[in-house]
Amino acid sequence: MNAKEAIESRQTALGIEFGSTRIKGVLIDLDGNVLAVGFHDWQNSLINDIWTYSLEEVDAGLRHCYTSLRQDVEAKYGITLTSVGSIGISAMMHGYIALDKDGKQLAPFQTWRNSNTQQSADELTELFNFNIPLRWTIAHLYQRILDKEQHLQAVDYVAPLSAYMHWKLTGKKVVGIGDAAGIFPIDSEKLDYNQEMMDKFDKLIAPYGYSWTAREVLPKVLVAGEEAGVLTAEGAALLDESGNLEAGIPLCPPEGDAGTGMVATNAVAPRTGNVSAGTSTFAMIVLEKQLSRLYREIDMVTTPTGFPVAMSHANNGTTDLNAWVNIFKEFAELMGYKADMGELFGKLYTNTLNGDPDCGGLLAYGYYSGEGVTKLNEGRPLYTRMPDSRFTLANFMRANLYTSLGAVKLGMDILQKEEKVQIDRIMGHGGFFKTEEVGQRYLAAAVNAPVTVMKTASEGGAWGIAVLAAYLIDGKNEGTLEEYLNNRIFAGQEGSTLEATPEEVAGFEAFTSHYRDGIAVEKAAVENLRW
């Protein structure tokens, strides 16, 4: 059937992902083809030293994104969107939203970007003998306990953003296992929170006398394909301000942006991996076996079906890179040229291919916030060079692109060089790869492996969660999620594969050596720049 027929017969799935700078909606048919998209741009705020969004912003952003998508459907097909086959909600992982029994917010929403949980993360890592990153939900919850915050007496529900929004739409307090893996450690055999660690946590907090246990306040874990509730009348009214959307639409388990990135790149089977590059950047490799020991630089999470995944996660990605592009936009307009942002990104990115493989000795840190891999709890955007560095426009922008992968590269070096993890395929997705060849080539140099980018790569996690929503209603006949992606969604998908030259690999290694050496400079900037 054609697109219009698919929409009218509800043979569609809608995915909405709350990213750090954009809420994106993607409507697909049941073969994964994109039918319509919607957007809402937003930014987090730093309030009282906490990176946050108000929950009013969350609701308003959801409505505006859906309205944008609904209008896209009307413009393309002349149809008033009244229903879809299924819905999936995704969001940036981790963080902390606390509600009381009436659903009232008890404390500011703390996003993944906050690194005010060092004591908590350290104590829990030692208790569990399992790496607990600063941004994980359980680290935020325990830090609130250590800080003796009064709102904990009234806590009834603690969730990351995807589970919160799913609850608003369905009334169900559930979460997909991939997002749950950023809340609390997962038992991949039982497909649930690790009960031994859960018992240790409850024993740890028992002296504080709270009336709840961790399992009682955290969302229930579900895996891909399980039913996760339906859109309520209240949820439909929240989502569609026009009032045309019908209740009763099934929703798949809500997922984090790590899980949707895996789906969007068909990287859910062992020995496959993907790199999602945007405001934050992370590499995920699906493992054949657990790592030999604990690494504080590596997060252990899961696929949406529960396979163990090693993640090298960087809080900082392309934010500073985008800021520099905006500077060039200002310059172009100052000179009387109307700058199209798409063309500007394309030209600046493509020109970097004329630069030196090691960026000519230039070095940048786009640290807007703390960076767990390099053990810094705050960030200072920083650009520096040696007196004899080759300071050209191509090298300048190339260094900004390289550094967007810098912290992730340090984690990948642990997996590839120390743990000898085998990788058959790396897939790239996110805005970093939108300009043809450039980001793809630099990632290939960073990981010294072929990198594939599909045509759907720039649709990113919103497309990935739409595919998980489609799997809920149409995937059972295909078997496992891995089989469904291979045989249905990615069958015939077009993509390109690039492998870096030895010179490019050596150049990125040289840049990485400079990056390691300069971390002391970044640390000094954090300690001394306080205005």
Side-chain angles (χ1 to χ4, degrees):
M1 64 182 69
N2 63 34
K4 184 174 181 180
E5 291 169 339
I7 295 170
E8 290 178 328
S9 61
R10 304 179 185 183
Q11 299 297 298
T12 55
L14 170 63
I16 297 177
E17 181 159 278
F18 291 78
S20 300
T21 59
R22 169 170 282 186
I23 304 171
K24 184 173 184 179
V26 174
L27 183 68
I28 64 171
D29 65 21
L30 298 184
D31 290 321
N33 298 305
V34 176
L35 306 179
V37 295
F39 305 98
H40 173 74
D41 292 327
W42 67 344
Q43 285 288 347
N44 54 192
S45 301
L46 184 62
I47 300 174
N48 296 324
D49 294 325
I50 293 173
W51 290 103
T52 189
Y53 304 84
S54 74
L55 296 190
E56 291 76 17
E57 286 181 283
V58 173
D59 289 353
L62 174 75
R63 285 192 297 271
H64 189 267
C65 176
Y66 180 82
T67 296
S68 173
L69 182 139
R70 174 175 55 78
Q71 291 171 344
D72 192 38
V73 170
E74 292 171 356
K76 287 179 176 175
Y77 310 109
I79 301 171
T80 298
L81 194 61
T82 60
S83 189
V84 296
S86 57
I87 299 173
I89 298 295
S90 176
M92 45 191 153
M93 292 175 67
H94 319 299
Y96 179 81
I97 298 175
L99 308 175
D100 69 11
K101 61 183 177 60
D102 297 318
K104 180 182 176 182
Q105 184 180 9
L106 294 171
F109 169 28
Q110 299 212 24
T111 75
W112 56 271
R113 201 165 210 166
N114 291 284
S115 52
N116 55 352
T117 56
Q118 187 72 60
Q119 180 184 356
S120 169
D122 288 346
E123 290 187 17
L124 292 178
T125 295
E126 183 176 358
L127 178 69
F128 297 154
N129 192 31
F130 185 98
N131 183 35
I132 302 297
L134 276 66
R135 63 187 177 279
W136 277 29
T137 302
I138 196 63
H140 281 281
L141 175 59
Y142 185 49
Q143 191 67 51
R144 307 287 84 75
I145 293 171
L146 291 174
D147 294 342
K148 297 182 173 59
E149 295 195 17
Q150 291 300 309
H151 76 269
L152 293 166
Q153 299 291 345
V155 161
D156 184 71
Y157 188 40
V158 172
L161 183 55
S162 76
Y164 166 79
M165 186 47 65
H166 183 93
W167 167 74
K168 292 269 286 188
L169 296 177
T170 67
K172 300 293 184 181
K173 295 178 178 178
V174 300
V175 69
I177 194 168
D179 209 0
I183 298 173
F184 195 92
I186 291 294
D187 183 333
S188 286
E189 295 293 325
K190 296 181 179 179
L191 302 178
D192 198 358
Y193 300 122
N194 185 297
Q195 188 58 52
E196 181 182 352
M197 296 182 192
M198 190 74 75
D199 291 341
K200 288 182 177 180
F201 182 81
D202 288 336
K203 184 178 180 180
L204 177 69
I205 69 170
Y208 293 90
Y210 300 120
S211 62
W212 45 265
T213 64
R215 187 173 288 276
E216 288 171 342
V217 298
L218 296 178
K220 179 182 177 182
V221 179
L222 300 176
V223 298
E226 288 193 283
E227 296 180 0
V230 299
L231 186 68
T232 62
E234 294 82 4
L238 172 63
L239 186 57
D240 182 14
E241 58 191 353
S242 75
N244 291 313
L245 187 64
E246 299 171 2
I249 301 168
L251 273 77
C252 69
E255 265 299 349
D257 49 5
T260 60
M262 295 178 210
V263 172
T265 54
N266 194 17
V268 296
R271 294 173 66 107
T272 64
N274 79 89
V275 172
S276 172
T279 306
S280 62
T281 303
F282 46 87
M284 295 171 290
I285 309 299
V286 187
L287 301 178
E288 296 178 279
K289 60 181 181 179
Q290 296 288 347
L291 300 180
S292 65
R293 66 179 183 85
L294 181 155
Y295 296 92
R296 289 305 297 266
E297 299 91 344
I298 302 296
D299 300 0
M300 291 303 302
V301 293
T302 78
T303 69
T305 54
F307 277 114
V309 174
M311 176 195 285
S312 174
H313 183 285
N315 286 349
N316 299 281
T318 59
T319 300
D320 203 45
L321 172 61
N322 296 340
W324 282 112
V325 174
N326 279 320
I327 287 291
F328 287 110
K329 176 178 182 290
E330 285 189 38
F331 174 74
E333 292 176 348
L334 180 66
M335 297 299 293
Y337 299 103
K338 181 64 177 176
D340 175 80
M341 289 303 290
E343 182 182 12
L344 193 56
F345 270 101
K347 285 186 179 296
L348 288 170
Y349 277 32
T350 302
N351 184 56
T352 64
L353 297 173
N354 298 317
D356 296 305
D358 67 347
C359 304
L362 307 186
L363 181 60
Y365 295 91
Y367 284 18
Y368 272 67
S369 60
E371 193 56 79
V373 174
T374 52
K375 300 179 176 60
L376 291 171
N377 290 342
E378 295 181 50
R380 300 291 185 272
L382 186 67
Y383 207 112
T384 189
R385 66 189 193 272
M386 299 293 285
D388 60 349
S389 297
R390 292 174 294 283
F391 192 50
T392 66
L393 177 61
N395 282 337
F396 177 81
M397 289 303 298
R398 188 162 178 148
N400 275 308
L401 285 160
Y402 273 28
T403 202
S404 297
L405 302 172
V408 162
K409 162 70 170 168
L410 301 184
M412 287 296 293
D413 281 353
I414 291 172
L415 297 177
Q416 293 180 286
K417 297 176 182 179
E418 297 185 35
E419 288 287 327
K420 310 300 182 186
V421 170
Q422 298 300 306
I423 304 170
D424 293 337
R425 184 181 74 235
I426 287 278
M427 307 286 283
H429 81 115
F432 185 81
F433 302 101
K434 193 167 185 178
T435 299
E436 186 175 354
E437 182 182 346
V438 180
Q440 183 179 6
R441 182 168 294 281
Y442 298 157
L443 175 59
V447 299
N448 194 18
V451 172
T452 300
V453 173
M454 308 299 292
K455 283 199 170 180
T456 54
S458 63
E459 300 297 349
W463 184 78
I465 190 62
V467 169
L468 285 173
Y471 180 64
L472 172 70
I473 59 172
D474 195 52
K476 305 301 170 60
N477 294 333
E478 300 285 355
T480 65
L481 178 62
E482 298 79 37
E483 292 168 333
Y484 173 69
L485 294 178
N486 284 329
N487 300 333
R488 182 71 177 274
I489 298 299
F490 285 91
Q493 283 267 6
E494 294 183 31
S496 64
T497 301
L498 283 177
E499 189 167 2
T501 67
E503 293 76 17
E504 288 169 329
V505 173
F508 209 110
E509 289 296 329
F511 175 85
T512 302
S513 177
H514 301 157
Y515 187 93
R516 291 180 190 274
D517 292 342
I519 290 170
V521 179
E522 174 68 20
K523 182 179 180 181
V526 170
E527 292 172 350
N528 293 284
L529 301 183
R530 291 285 172 186
W531 60 79

